Amino acid sequence: MELDELKNAWQNINTPNTPAHKIATMLSENNHPVLKGIRKQVIIEVAVWSIFLLCYYTMFDGDTKPVWVNAVLVVSVLLPIIHNLMGYSFARYLINGTSLKQSLIVYLSKVKMYAVVSIGSRVILAAGFVLFLLMG
């Protein structure tokens, strides 16, 4: 396809005429489909980790282990909860700048920080579980 044909095809596309208030409603936090999915995942994971923290002391013999091992386990379980909440806020506030370039710079720095927190929280969680289960 030649460049002129491509330009003509682009200019002849009929765009839907959606009112601004309808677009604002679709993008609000309560109606945004991606944020709904992330929010549902966060709620489920926080509930599961909370149930685990309520039950581990008796189910996995936390009462027979040293206090510092229990503290390590609790901290290592709290880190994925913090990771999930950070991910939700990361997806919620995408535009943070006066221009597109500034927003992308801020977004890139957030992605780098989120990657570090993501890997770190999972490694600490695995290490905390292994320490807790192997401590006799």
Side-chain angles (χ1 to χ4, degrees):
M1 183 180 275
E2 293 295 321
L3 184 60
D4 292 330
E5 292 175 21
L6 186 60
K7 286 181 183 178
N8 288 334
W10 178 260
Q11 291 175 353
N12 292 332
I13 293 175
N14 292 330
T15 57
N17 198 4
T18 307
H21 71 280
K22 189 171 182 181
I23 293 174
T25 303
M26 288 189 295
L27 292 177
S28 72
E29 183 180 349
N30 292 333
N31 294 328
H32 198 284
V34 173
L35 290 178
K36 273 186 180 179
I38 294 172
R39 189 170 44 243
K40 186 189 307 183
Q41 178 183 352
V42 166
I43 289 170
I44 290 170
E45 288 187 17
V46 167
V48 169
W49 286 123
S50 299
I51 290 169
F52 172 77
L53 283 177
L54 290 173
C55 299
Y56 89 94
Y57 197 72
T58 56
M59 290 176 63
F60 296 108
D61 297 329
D63 54 344
T64 62
K65 302 195 183 202
V67 174
W68 69 271
V69 174
N70 287 314
V72 167
L73 180 69
V74 169
V75 168
S76 66
V77 168
L78 289 176
L79 285 177
I81 293 173
I82 293 169
H83 170 259
N84 288 337
L85 295 174
M86 187 177 170
Y88 180 74
S89 69
F90 178 65
R92 186 175 170 195
Y93 302 113
L94 293 176
I95 299 174
N96 286 334
T98 56
S99 65
L100 182 60
K101 183 177 179 181
Q102 184 65 29
S103 290
L104 288 175
I105 291 170
V106 171
Y107 187 76
L108 180 63
S109 67
K110 281 184 170 183
V111 167
K112 288 179 182 177
M113 180 58 121
Y114 186 70
V116 169
V117 170
S118 178
I119 293 170
S121 68
R122 301 304 178 194
V123 168
I124 292 172
L125 175 67
F129 267 122
V130 169
L131 176 71
F132 182 81
L133 294 175
L134 292 180
M135 195 69 162

